[in-house]
Amino acid sequence: MQTAHELFIHEMQDMLSAERKLTEALQEQEENASRPELKKAFASHRAQTEKQVERLEQAFEQIGEEPEETECKGIEGLIEEYQTFVEEEDPAEDIIDVFSIGAASKVESYEIRAYESLIEMAKMMGHTKAQRLLQQNLKEEQATLKKMQALSKRIKPQNMGMEEEEMEEQSSQRSSGRGRSRKAA
Ligand SMILES: [Fe+2]
């Protein structure tokens, strides 16, 4: 590979593959989630991701390239991590919910950085229409990350896995402002 154009297309193909894989993964996340509000969040995020795939395909068209895929190992790794956790750790329902929110936030952070970098490249190369489409996707990813962050503040695990005394000690330390890192179990 020699040119910025080739690099840009490579990165676009990477993102197209990522978004398509995420469409499937979001369905799994929706099925595995137990809280209705979380199921709803994943369902609407899935619908949004399908639109993002369409925008990427349009961006390819704008540049005069075929919408081909390059395997996105980064996103695939994050998806695999999620699946392995659910299949192998025998997690309780509320733990799956908390884990899913964390996994989705990691994906969003990755996507945000990827789109920012694609937008920089599109701008540099004067692909104005493609740039606009990418910017729409970026905006949605940023909004989804915020939504996940809000959900993670609300949805807490039921069992903290700590003794009652230890929890009381921690909360009294928090209120007195003295932080102490928790000993590893
Ligand atoms: Fe996305």
Side-chain angles (χ1 to χ4, degrees), residues 75-175:
I75 288 293
E76 276 175 26
L78 288 172
I79 293 173
E80 207 182 302
E81 238 178 28
Y82 167 81
Q83 290 167 332
T84 306
F85 180 85
V86 173
E87 283 160 23
E88 293 179 10
E89 297 294 333
D90 191 23
E93 280 188 349
D94 59 314
I95 295 294
I96 292 184
D97 283 356
V98 172
F99 182 79
S100 287
I101 295 168
S105 306
K106 286 180 200 170
V107 165
E108 290 311 316
S109 302
Y110 186 106
E111 287 191 288
I112 287 169
R113 192 51 212 134
Y115 277 120
E116 281 171 349
S117 144
L118 278 174
I119 289 164
E120 277 168 40
M121 280 193 264
K123 197 174 167 187
M124 184 174 75
M125 308 189 66
H127 295 310
T128 316
K129 282 181 184 157
Q131 188 191 332
R132 236 174 268 147
L133 290 159
L134 293 166
Q135 247 147 1
Q136 275 176 276
N137 282 8
L138 172 63
K139 252 195 189 164
E140 288 181 351
E141 307 297 8
Q142 287 165 333
T144 303
L145 179 59
K146 280 211 178 118
K147 199 163 149 188
M148 286 299 146
Q149 285 166 332
L151 280 170
S152 86
K153 284 203 179 113
R154 267 206 314 279
I155 298 182
K156 298 286 181 205
Q158 282 154 24
N159 182 351
M160 290 292 169
M162 294 160 79
E163 298 295 336
E164 221 167 282
E165 275 173 42
E166 201 181 353
M167 285 187 60
E168 273 166 25
E169 197 190 332
Q170 285 234 329
S171 75
S172 76
Q173 276 184 355
R174 261 200 303 275
S175 59

